[in-house]
Amino acid sequence: MNRSLVSTSARLPHEHPPDERAKVLEVNHLDVSYRVRDRERLAVRDVSFEIGRQESFGLVGESGCGKSTTALAVTRYLPSNGRISSGGVKVNGHDLTSMDKASLRRLRARTVSMVYQEPMKALNPSIRIGRQLSEVYEIIGLKRAEALERAEAMLRNVQISDPGLVMRRYPHQLSGGMQQRVIIAMALASEPSLLILDEPTTALDATVEAEVLDLVALLRQEFQTAVLFISHNLAVIAKMCDRVGVMYAGELVEEGPAEQVFEDPRHPYTVGLLRCVPQRGQRKDHGRLDTIPGFLPGPGQVPRGCVFAQRCSLADERCVSEAPPMYEVTPLRSSRCHYHEDAPRVPRSTPADVQLPESGELDRAEAPVIRLRGVSKTFKVRGESVRAVSDIDLDLRLGETLGLVGESGCGKSTLARVLLGLTPPDEGSVIELDGLPLAGRCSERDREQLQAIQIIFQNPDSALNRRHSVRHIVTRALRKLAGLSGDACETRLVEVVRSVRLEESHLALRPRHLSGGLKQRVAIARAFAGSPRVLVCDEPTSALDVSVQAAILNLLADLQSRERVTYVFISHDLGVVRYLSDRIAVLYLGKVMEYGPAETVFAGPHHPYTEGLLSALPNLDGVQGERVKLEGELPSAAHPPAGCVFHTRCPRRLSSGVCESSEPPLVEVEPDHMMRCHIPITELRRLQGKEPSGQEEAQRTSAAT
Amino acid sequence: MTADSDLTAALVGAKAESASVEAGAMTDVLDRAPFVVVSSSGAQDLSPRRIRAEQLRQLVHSKAFIVGALILLWWIVCAIFGTLFVPYNPLSQSLLNVNAAPSAAHWFGTDSLGRDVFSRVIVGARDILEIAPLATLVGTAVGTAIGLAQGYFRGAFDMLVGRLVDALLALPTVIVAFLFIVAVGANTLTLVIVIGFTFAFIIARTVRTAVLQERELDYIAAARLRNENAFHIMFVEVLPNVLGPIIVEFTVRLGYAIFTIATLSFLGFGVQPPTPDWGATVASNYQYLAAGYWWQTLFPALAIASLVVAINLVGDSMEAALLQ
């Protein structure tokens, strides 16, 4: 891996010789507009920033804030209806806006590379990886044989262990993480001065994301490339970037060194964004998350004053009437806010108070609402049986949240579908509701049983019938599940809609007229219509922006404490799971690896798999522990490894060989904490540096009793 | 917002369509936001009516639609009121004035029995514009029901109907219709049923494909979790979401129906003479082409062609407006 490329890179002819004094990228007062229905709409307004040699600059903001448009404008690769309406972009000192097609093409081939979110869409599905990658070298002017050789070396650079094999593969034969590595290899092949990464890891699992990010950081050093990194994820930007620009409604509202911006934000929007994310182990009973009220202004609507004034709790008349310039906060950073001095003290928009359930402590002895015993699900795929969920025992208690955690393909969604009766489980699986067995298919369950278990789906666009009005959607659920009709139904409809903080005026609308957050509220209203006892939340916020996510999480927490609903909360975002969950089950290849109270599971000692998941999580706290890497790829569920299913990727595999040969049972390693691992808990505690201090130990014993 | 395209693709020189894809995505983003803003203040003008108005606006702005709709309207007026404004009775023969070339008195000339070709073409619109839409309507209704059931139940039923459709598609519609008419006898009802029946299976195939995509969506799972019955799921949940392709299929099939009826009439198995149907008129006059009496065949043939083209123009523009 540590091969130097300096000698080879010297041979690559550069059309635009990098001027050592010039910045890699200079964006000056950039305006970009899109022509929609014969009207020009400004999507990016007056954006200026610079990226120096080998610097990494992050653009962060919610969807629709113009970050991708900025990236496209930087390469002049806007769609046909978009154009740079004023301002300038310079790459290595060369003005991009006045460039002709041929030099633009050369610039894109040599100087600037881009990596997008969906690796599958960026690769040609019918060309082998080797050919696709070597083509990039041929365009630069290398002979075919040499190009192939360089391609193979490049694949080794992006840490693909068997490049020869991968070169002969087609894109669909590679996992998402491998595909993204290939894309990064292609992007770096020309040794560009600027690499633009537009949400490069958003479509990937947290563990894969962590590896790709590590790789990008490493290659940036090696190739001495400047990076423009675009993401909605504040933690990822904080981890990857030297400097950061926060965008809102097409404007750059704050800019400065990443550490300072995230530690001490000076724009109310940045402050709001940071408060929306559950941080530092924040939990639902510690307080509600802060939110950003209101909505993004529509594109083309240019307010006279500050773009954020409508949603800002600091805003006064000056903000509405006078657009703030980019104030220099310190020589290194600037903020587009009249009151940037006061920004860190923005009052909360949502009070933090929590209504705790009256009973306070949940009664441990209470019989569980749902009991799962030996639940398995085997799919037949092309004659092979794939065990998606394997022999799971779990209890759901009233008013508690069970967090299901694991990488994609670990069986968490299948388990949820089995519970709901959408996917019938294998023979012998037992699902009990209040001690009575439930049929495997929802069509065989009676109304009360259906009413008891409902779901909030991940994607409201798919979950809501787009031809039905909000009124129809919620009313139908009230009729069928709650058995209401007439006036009673109408009264309850208004009640339910208000409880999810929608207005009655929304009732007449169809889903397409609503924003993502409002749509998800409709889905929640439908799920709550029948007053369920158990609600499965399948990644309910992963399609939403962080400010909207905070509002939805608050809503879920409020509804739970008011109605004592039990949640099964599925998410890949461990921060979100931690915020909402009382108990956590960590799944791997359809098996429970660790199960216990949320605090215990997060505090450790962890199962090595949980340890890997937690370590992959980028955080904003600035303290990044030693990375525990999970090696290799998720094995196929059709051929799970012998012994412990996790041994192929386990960083703490025992040298005695017991992990390969025999499967550890799920046992209680400490009170109420189950784990499936051969390594004794004392040893795990020592390895993970979690020697309990006297205080912690005392806490734990008091919690257990 | 995700950008669908990729610069690496551009370097490799395969950039062709990505820009337009992106433009689409961009329009979507831009379209969505204004609604969001308005919905915070109130719900005055975001009714589905506004979207329909937008679709209508787009249709009216399309030249193809205007031309097609005008031609279609003309033939509909002819079919309904034609008898009121034709210069001659289309059935009255004038043996003193047979095979007259087009003139001021007889714009399209006269046929071998001295009947006015112009009047016959005008009135001839009636039968075809009665049978074709009826047949297509029957076909669409039955086809939609079959397609919904196929897509929703899948399994053996889907297999069986699927193979039946394959078998039917192997034979030209005209041959199938031909067989039925020989067995049952030619009349309007038979034509409607026979054409409707053969179209139904073709339409079912389109509907089935659309339903298969829909049934994977979570709102179907949500309906199952409310214990909705199959009928409700198919007709209340799924049907409104697959109406677009069904309407498009209707217009396309309407064009084919006109063609099929004209062909059957030409072969003598459709509308029977002396009714001035276009297909039948072409059939009874084409033998005189060799004698130089071209007007007797050309004008009814042009009428058929213009109607089919008009329907296709309307259909294509509706497809563009509805399925974007």
Side-chain angles (χ1 to χ4, degrees):
Chain A
M1 180 59 238
N2 293 322
R3 315 144 27 93
S4 165
L5 269 128
V6 180
S7 58
T8 45
S9 66
R11 281 186 295 155
L12 285 180
H14 264 276
E15 290 283 327
H16 299 275
D19 177 355
E20 289 304 324
R21 282 157 304 162
K23 297 274 184 190
V24 174
L25 179 69
E26 286 170 76
V27 177
N28 286 313
H29 304 287
L30 179 73
D31 280 8
V32 181
S33 61
Y34 288 108
R35 198 167 182 79
V36 179
R37 290 200 204 112
D38 302 329
R39 266 199 317 212
E40 291 282 337
R41 288 178 171 179
L42 270 178
V44 166
R45 265 189 317 276
D46 193 24
V47 165
S48 306
F49 61 92
E50 291 177 345
I51 304 180
R53 307 239 142 251
Q54 298 178 40
E55 192 179 30
S56 66
F57 185 84
L59 274 182
V60 68
E62 295 178 283
S63 49
C65 72
K67 34 186 210 306
S68 293
T69 297
T70 309
L72 291 170
V74 160
T75 48
R76 268 190 57 200
Y77 199 58
L78 289 163
S80 54
N81 65 336
R83 67 189 185 88
I84 295 175
S85 39
S86 81
V89 178
K90 279 186 186 169
V91 174
N92 284 336
H94 301 272
D95 188 4
L96 206 78
T97 42
S98 59
M99 236 176 229
D100 60 29
K101 277 203 167 152
S103 33
L104 202 57
R105 200 176 146 79
R106 277 196 298 274
L107 173 104
R108 290 172 184 160
R110 301 280 162 79
T111 320
V112 183
S113 292
M114 269 183 113
V115 172
Y116 286 101
Q117 180 172 355
E118 294 277 339
M120 198 57 207
K121 284 185 187 164
L123 290 169
N124 186 328
S126 59
I127 301 179
R128 290 178 203 271
I129 299 296
R131 181 83 200 97
Q132 290 196 52
L133 184 51
S134 62
E135 228 171 7
V136 183
Y137 287 104
E138 283 174 40
I139 283 172
I140 299 172
L142 296 183
K143 292 273 181 312
R144 174 165 265 199
E146 198 184 347
L148 278 170
E149 207 174 285
R150 290 287 288 275
E152 196 167 331
M154 193 66 212
L155 286 181
R156 213 164 276 131
N157 263 313
V158 294
Q159 296 175 356
I160 288 178
S161 51
D162 191 351
L165 187 71
V166 169
M167 300 262 285
R168 289 193 297 278
R169 291 274 160 90
Y170 286 101
H172 71 268
Q173 294 172 307
L174 304 179
S175 67
M178 287 283 258
Q179 287 172 0
Q180 200 63 301
R181 278 163 205 260
V182 172
I183 304 279
I184 292 171
M186 283 171 96
L188 288 175
S190 57
E191 288 160 38
S193 353
L194 177 64
L195 175 64
I196 300 175
L197 299 150
D198 188 354
E199 306 263 9
T201 55
T202 307
L204 305 175
D205 259 316
T207 47
V208 185
E209 170 177 69
E211 280 177 49
V212 171
L213 293 181
D214 285 348
L215 176 69
V216 169
L218 188 75
L219 293 176
R220 192 165 75 80
Q221 299 295 321
E222 194 166 330
F223 284 77
Q224 309 188 335
T225 307
V227 168
L228 173 58
F229 200 106
I230 294 173
S231 179
H232 68 283
N233 189 329
L234 299 163
V236 167
I237 292 278
K239 179 180 174 185
M240 296 300 292
C241 299
D242 307 326
R243 283 193 310 127
V244 60
V246 182
M247 287 195 75
Y248 178 76
E251 288 186 4
L252 196 64
V253 293
E254 180 166 8
E255 202 242 288
E259 218 168 283
Q260 291 179 27
V261 171
F262 289 129
E263 275 302 307
D264 177 27
R266 287 304 175 86
H267 192 282
Y269 178 63
T270 320
V271 177
L273 273 185
L274 286 164
R275 285 187 191 163
C276 286
V277 192
Q279 276 178 63
R280 297 180 177 89
Q282 194 182 353
R283 287 178 37 75
K284 58 183 172 183
D285 28 288
H286 296 163
R288 295 290 174 261
L289 300 165
D290 198 7
T291 55
I292 304 177
F295 299 92
L296 204 67
Q301 293 187 331
V302 185
R304 200 149 54 92
C306 169
V307 275
F308 191 60
Q310 276 184 325
R311 304 174 70 182
C312 181
S313 40
L314 278 184
D316 61 12
E317 274 163 34
R318 183 177 171 211
C319 298
V320 178
S321 58
E322 184 192 332
M326 209 64 179
Y327 289 105
E328 197 171 90
V329 180
T330 68
L332 279 175
R333 52 186 302 205
S334 43
S335 164
R336 201 183 277 278
C337 176
H338 290 306
Y339 302 109
H340 54 270
E341 296 295 333
D342 302 327
R345 289 179 296 280
V346 176
R348 283 181 66 103
S349 314
T350 311
D353 348 331
V354 203
Q355 320 142 275
L356 284 172
E358 300 94 47
S359 57
E361 268 297 291
L362 291 161
D363 189 359
R364 288 261 171 268
E366 203 173 337
V369 187
I370 297 270
R371 262 164 59 97
L372 302 180
R373 287 294 174 267
V375 172
S376 300
K377 174 67 200 176
T378 313
F379 290 104
K380 283 262 181 269
V381 182
R382 282 182 230 104
E384 280 185 301
S385 35
V386 177
R387 209 141 200 234
V389 166
S390 167
D391 199 18
I392 284 188
D393 300 344
L394 288 175
D395 289 340
L396 299 183
R397 296 204 184 88
L398 189 66
E400 271 195 356
T401 304
L402 171 71
L404 287 184
V405 171
E407 293 162 286
S408 46
C410 71
K412 45 192 199 305
S413 288
T414 306
L415 181 61
R417 290 180 69 88
V418 165
L419 175 61
L420 288 159
L422 291 171
T423 305
D426 294 350
E427 288 286 316
S429 307
V430 177
I431 307 172
E432 285 177 3
L433 173 68
D434 296 327
L436 298 170
L438 273 180
R441 285 169 207 280
C442 61
S443 54
E444 290 157 17
R445 297 183 182 175
D446 63 30
R447 202 194 82 192
E448 268 173 39
Q449 291 171 332
L450 286 173
Q451 185 185 356
I453 313 175
Q454 284 291 318
I455 177 168
I456 302 168
F457 291 100
Q458 173 174 8
N459 183 353
D461 290 316
S462 159
L464 302 176
N465 192 326
R466 52 201 185 280
R467 293 282 173 165
H468 290 170
S469 65
V470 174
R471 173 185 294 277
H472 181 179
I473 290 168
V474 182
T475 307
R476 191 74 200 170
L478 286 170
R479 288 221 180 105
K480 293 293 286 187
L481 292 173
L484 295 173
S485 59
D487 284 346
C489 182
E490 192 66 20
T491 320
R492 177 81 180 130
L493 171 70
V494 174
E495 205 177 290
V496 168
V497 163
R498 287 218 181 114
S499 73
V500 297
R501 314 225 166 81
L502 285 170
E503 290 161 27
E504 277 159 77
S505 60
H506 290 123
L507 284 175
L509 303 180
R510 310 237 163 146
R512 65 182 286 181
H513 303 141
L514 302 171
S515 67
L518 293 180
K519 272 187 270 200
Q520 198 58 293
R521 280 167 201 267
V522 176
I524 295 174
R526 176 177 65 188
F528 271 96
S531 309
R533 317 255 313 277
V534 177
L535 194 55
V536 176
C537 309
D538 188 356
E539 306 253 13
T541 60
S542 64
L544 307 173
D545 275 317
V546 279
S547 66
V548 184
Q549 165 176 299
I552 296 290
L553 291 178
N554 283 345
L555 177 64
L556 288 173
D558 283 344
L559 289 170
Q560 182 171 47
S561 62
R562 195 170 346 137
E563 313 216 352
R564 287 202 89 195
V565 196
T566 305
Y567 289 148
V568 177
F569 194 88
I570 302 175
S571 178
H572 67 277
D573 185 334
L574 291 175
V576 168
V577 171
R578 184 173 200 175
Y579 175 73
L580 218 55
S581 301
D582 300 291
R583 300 179 79 76
I584 303 269
V586 182
L587 296 185
Y588 184 78
L589 284 186
K591 292 201 160 118
V592 176
M593 304 310 276
E594 186 172 358
Y595 175 51
E599 280 315 275
T600 316
V601 171
F602 276 104
H606 323 283
H607 186 280
Y609 178 57
T610 317
E611 192 186 358
L613 285 180
L614 285 170
S615 145
L617 192 70
N619 59 32
L620 281 165
D621 305 354
V623 277
Q624 192 79 38
E626 192 195 344
R627 275 265 287 123
V628 181
K629 292 191 182 177
L630 302 185
E631 305 154 17
E633 310 227 335
L634 194 68
S636 143
H639 307 284
C644 174
V645 282
F646 184 57
H647 85 255
T648 52
R649 299 171 72 196
C650 185
R652 306 210 182 274
R653 190 172 49 231
L654 294 171
S655 51
S656 65
V658 63
C659 299
E660 286 90 339
S661 58
S662 79
E663 166 152 46
L666 187 65
V667 290
E668 195 162 24
V669 289
E670 42 180 9
D672 211 23
H673 186 187
M674 318 275 279
M675 213 182 273
R676 190 190 291 278
C677 188
H678 285 301
I679 309 172
I681 181 120
T682 44
E683 180 65 8
L684 279 175
R685 188 173 286 144
R686 194 186 60 76
L687 286 169
Q688 293 167 0
K690 308 260 180 195
E691 302 288 1
S693 64
Q695 194 191 357
E696 269 181 51
E697 185 70 356
Q699 259 180 3
R700 193 159 297 134
T701 35
S702 73
T705 46
Chain B
M1 221 226 62
T2 52
D4 290 314
S5 80
D6 155 54
L7 200 64
T8 32
L11 312 168
V12 185
K15 100 176 209 188
E17 284 136 33
S18 47
S20 63
V21 172
E22 234 164 57
M26 196 62 64
T27 325
D28 186 49
V29 169
L30 293 179
D31 276 355
R32 209 169 51 212
F35 285 123
V36 175
V37 173
V38 186
S39 63
S40 61
S41 58
Q44 308 92 331
D45 54 347
L46 357 135
S47 61
R49 231 172 286 135
R50 200 178 118 168
I51 291 146
R52 249 171 256 145
E54 175 57 31
Q55 284 174 343
L56 201 68
R57 196 190 70 92
Q58 205 183 339
L59 272 183
V60 173
H61 277 241
S62 133
K63 286 197 187 76
F65 179 79
I66 299 291
V67 171
L70 283 178
I71 299 175
L72 187 59
L73 195 70
W74 158 249
W75 286 123
I76 291 172
V77 168
C78 289
I80 300 172
F81 305 108
T83 45
L84 302 178
F85 65 79
V86 286
Y88 301 91
N89 180 344
L91 296 180
S92 76
Q93 305 178 359
S94 166
L95 294 176
L96 298 173
N97 193 19
V98 297
N99 298 331
S103 64
H106 296 279
W107 292 353
F108 290 179
T110 62
D111 67 6
S112 57
L113 296 173
R115 296 175 294 195
D116 180 46
V117 175
F118 178 69
S119 304
R120 287 180 66 79
V121 166
I122 297 289
V123 175
R126 177 169 288 181
D127 288 281
I128 209 157
L129 276 179
E130 194 178 277
I131 302 170
L134 260 178
T136 317
L137 212 61
V138 168
T140 311
V142 176
T144 301
I146 297 174
L148 281 170
Q150 265 187 292
Y152 182 71
F153 292 112
R154 295 191 291 193
F157 175 75
D158 184 21
M159 267 287 284
L160 208 74
V161 177
R163 299 297 79 76
L164 204 63
V165 175
D166 290 343
L168 266 172
L169 287 180
L171 299 168
T173 312
V174 174
I175 303 293
V176 179
F178 196 79
L179 289 170
F180 270 87
I181 291 163
V182 169
V184 185
N187 60 52
T188 307
L189 187 69
T190 324
L191 278 175
V192 167
I193 290 175
V194 166
I195 294 174
F197 174 74
T198 45
F199 280 4
F201 288 98
I202 303 170
I203 292 167
R205 181 179 263 198
T206 308
V207 176
R208 172 183 174 271
T209 314
V211 173
L212 284 181
Q213 283 173 14
E214 288 296 319
R215 69 164 285 152
E216 295 308 316
L217 297 180
D218 290 333
Y219 71 84
I220 302 296
R224 284 173 59 203
L225 288 174
R226 291 198 302 268
N227 202 16
E228 301 283 7
N229 59 33
F231 183 84
H232 177 95
I233 295 183
M234 283 193 285
F235 287 92
V236 183
E237 299 284 343
V238 178
L239 181 59
N241 289 300
V242 296
L243 268 184
I246 291 175
I247 292 171
V248 170
E249 192 69 16
F250 176 84
T251 56
V252 172
R253 287 300 138 203
L254 187 58
Y256 277 106
I258 286 171
F259 217 74
T260 309
I261 293 164
T263 310
L264 287 172
S265 299
F266 176 80
L267 293 172
F269 292 96
V271 182
Q272 300 299 316
T275 316
D277 176 79
W278 297 335
T281 310
V282 171
S284 52
N285 289 311
Y286 78 102
Q287 71 247 36
Y288 303 113
L289 270 176
Y293 306 140
W294 50 269
W295 54 89
Q296 300 165 353
T297 305
L298 178 72
F299 291 110
L302 276 183
I304 298 172
S306 71
L307 185 57
V308 174
V309 168
I311 287 172
N312 283 334
L313 286 176
V314 171
D316 286 353
S317 357
M318 286 195 21
E319 181 169 3
L322 284 176
L323 297 188
Q324 56 178 230

